[in-house]
Amino acid sequence: MATVKEMRVRIGSVKSTQKITKALQMVAAAKLRRAQQATEAARPYAQRMSAIISNLAAGVSGPSAPLLLAGTGSDKRHLVIVATADRGLAGAFNGAIIRAARQKIAALIAEGKDVKILTIGRKSRDGLRRQFGNRFVESYEVGLKSPNLALVQPIARYVLDQYTGGQFDVVTLIYSRFKSVVTQIPTVKQLIPAEVEKADGAGPAPFYDYEPDEDTILQALLPQNISVQLLSALLENQAGFFASQMAAMDNATRNAGDLINALTIQMNRTRQAKITTELIEIIAGAAAV
Amino acid sequence: MADKILFELVSPEKLLLSKAVDMVTVPGTEGYMGVMAGHSPLVSTLRAGMIDMKDEGVDTRFFIRGGFAEINPGKVTVLAEEAIPMSEMDLAILDQRIADAQEDEIAAKTDADRARAAQMVDDLKLVRAAF
């Protein structure tokens, strides 16, 4: 049986843990708000860009279409980009992405594809290294700053260089879609060849003139689209990460509170038992005289 | 006054502006073009330069570093790689961009990349001269 003093020390330590989780929770809540704003602010660009691309794509199907849109005609060699956060303490956030990545990679390998992996974020690198380390081609970190175009451009450049160099046929991105503060969905998305949304039934697309010409525009647009897709994935990841961290830390704070209550009751009982024992001893001693 | 045209300026980080205006001048790859309501549908790449927006006699200018413009009779959408309102611009930012572009030109691996970076340097220098 632990002594009262030991229990008091234990309660103290749980209390300081609780202070830390509480602080982390509040920091995550504040950062979540900013990350959410950034995610929403970045959305119009991505939407309009994919609208332009689907307009253009409708006009340039066939053998003359650029590689990024039409693909290489094979689907043997895959590059899987796995994006997580750098840090943990966020519940199942990173784990869920890594699990989705493992499934996807295993499925591709089972189909006999040649799979390479590019990781963004320290957790995806650590989480996949043991099983698939020999398939890594490159690892990037997200860093402390909020994701911006300058962060994703080197990654996009690397992917494009490899793709145009004929290293891969299909590039897939795995990240966590930020659906709401309580739901983040690990999502598998094909980056190259570009997935073009079918034009919705809003009537025929207007007939555009192109300046300089369709090919030049597509060749400028499609690489930029890769950067933008990566950026929006990282922004969604970031918002999801903070949301998940906030929930995890809220839970941890509550658990610490429960533990403190239980320990306090136990401590009081022990102290009471000790006092009672002492009293009985004194009374027994007095009665014996 | 003629009809207005909805002008949207979007950078990857945010939507800078969405407003009905009288006329927008955008720096197309093949020359500046003024766009008013009723323009025929057009998609164009943009070079680094100034966007000039005229509304009710008021001029507002933005610096953009390349991008795309989608023009419809009732709407202009500019997807800029980077957009800065003129009021927040200064020579230091511009010089930084020029230095970056020059580095890109030196680091470029293919001829196409090098030509693009060189074009960027020239365009930026033009902007600087006009500044």
Side-chain angles (χ1 to χ4, degrees):
Chain A
M1 188 77 182
T3 64
V4 175
K5 179 148 191 238
E6 274 166 12
M7 272 189 267
R8 198 168 285 140
V9 171
R10 177 106 194 270
I11 291 173
S13 105
V14 176
K15 266 187 182 152
S16 43
T17 308
Q18 188 187 32
K19 271 183 202 146
I20 294 169
T21 57
K22 180 104 194 162
L24 259 175
Q25 183 209 337
M26 287 192 293
V27 170
K31 286 188 173 169
L32 168 65
R33 213 170 313 126
R34 232 175 310 145
Q36 236 175 319
Q37 278 164 3
T39 312
E40 268 153 34
R43 226 165 257 165
Y45 191 92
Q47 276 169 356
R48 287 182 175 91
M49 182 161 257
S50 66
I52 295 182
I53 289 178
S54 42
N55 268 340
L56 276 164
V60 291
S61 49
S64 64
L67 278 183
L68 286 174
L69 194 61
T72 54
S74 152
D75 64 344
K76 182 87 183 75
R77 290 161 305 161
H78 284 250
L79 175 68
V80 178
I81 303 176
V82 186
T84 59
D86 273 348
R87 290 154 184 280
L89 291 181
F93 177 79
N94 292 312
I97 300 176
I98 290 169
R99 199 171 328 116
R102 276 211 192 101
Q103 273 171 11
K104 175 78 184 165
I105 294 166
L108 286 173
I109 292 173
E111 285 170 29
K113 312 285 189 207
D114 183 8
V115 185
K116 297 279 182 229
I117 300 167
L118 183 150
T119 61
I120 304 174
R122 232 175 298 166
K123 287 291 166 187
S124 62
R125 187 191 64 199
D126 298 346
L128 294 171
R129 183 162 44 197
R130 197 165 51 88
Q131 205 176 348
F132 301 113
N134 53 347
R135 294 174 185 275
F136 279 17
V137 287
E138 199 74 44
S139 294
Y140 292 90
E141 288 187 8
V142 181
L144 291 174
K145 279 204 295 182
S146 170
N148 53 22
L149 211 55
L151 171 79
V152 299
Q153 247 149 9
I155 307 174
R157 175 137 293 255
Y158 174 82
V159 172
L160 283 168
D161 282 350
Q162 297 286 307
Y163 186 77
T164 47
Q167 298 293 311
F168 305 112
D169 300 316
V170 180
V171 180
T172 313
L173 172 65
I174 299 176
Y175 69 103
S176 177
R177 194 158 61 82
F178 180 78
K179 191 169 171 231
S180 72
V181 176
V182 284
T183 341
Q184 295 91 38
I185 305 164
T187 306
V188 179
K189 188 175 189 179
Q190 186 173 310
L191 270 188
I192 310 175
E195 269 179 342
V196 178
E197 294 159 36
K198 291 276 171 287
D200 45 8
F207 184 77
Y208 284 97
D209 280 335
Y210 298 99
E211 202 179 292
D213 54 66
E214 299 184 19
D215 280 353
T216 318
I217 291 180
L218 265 182
Q219 257 148 37
L221 257 175
L222 290 171
Q224 179 72 7
N225 187 41
I226 305 289
S227 308
V228 170
Q229 299 259 10
L230 279 174
L231 177 65
S232 61
L234 289 189
L235 284 169
E236 300 233 350
N237 253 358
Q238 193 199 21
F241 171 76
F242 286 129
S244 192
Q245 181 167 60
M246 191 176 81
M249 288 300 121
D250 183 42
N251 247 333
T253 309
R254 213 160 332 119
N255 284 345
D258 290 349
L259 190 56
I260 289 170
N261 284 343
L263 281 173
T264 312
I265 289 171
Q266 204 192 338
M267 183 183 79
N268 289 346
R269 282 229 181 93
T270 316
R271 192 186 56 207
Q272 200 56 52
K274 202 174 140 210
I275 292 167
T276 315
T277 319
E278 275 169 12
L279 273 177
I280 288 169
E281 277 166 8
I282 291 167
I283 293 165
V289 173
Chain B
M1 201 68 218
D3 287 343
K4 294 196 172 192
I5 187 162
L6 180 65
F7 172 53
E8 286 190 328
L9 178 58
V10 204
S11 78
E13 274 97 16
K14 64 179 183 192
L15 178 70
L16 272 95
L17 190 79
S18 176
K19 190 179 175 220
V21 298
D22 291 331
M23 178 170 131
V24 189
T25 309
V26 295
T29 321
E30 306 196 332
Y32 277 79
M33 51 188 166
V35 180
M36 298 174 80
H39 198 287
S40 64
L42 173 78
V43 175
S44 172
T45 49
L46 303 179
R47 59 169 74 195
M50 292 298 182
I51 288 185
D52 200 349
M53 178 184 96
K54 283 196 195 354
D55 188 42
E56 319 259 316
V58 184
D59 261 17
T60 318
R61 309 185 92 192
F62 295 90
F63 165 76
I64 63 158
R65 204 184 52 166
F68 308 92
E70 185 194 20
I71 300 167
N72 283 311
K75 188 173 166 190
V76 188
T77 309
V78 172
L79 301 178
E81 273 165 43
E82 184 185 24
I84 306 172
M86 223 26 214
S87 50
E88 292 166 23
M89 264 305 268
D90 58 38
L91 278 179
I93 300 179
L94 204 47
D95 285 337
Q96 178 64 41
R97 295 293 177 275
I98 293 177
D100 287 350
Q102 278 165 340
E103 268 173 36
D104 285 349
E105 187 181 352
I106 293 162
K109 286 193 205 87
T110 64
D111 284 346
D113 281 353
R114 196 168 307 118
R116 201 175 308 129
Q119 182 69 46
M120 180 66 83
V121 173
D122 289 349
D123 291 340
L124 288 169
K125 280 186 176 157
L126 273 179
V127 175
R128 191 181 194 284
F131 193 71

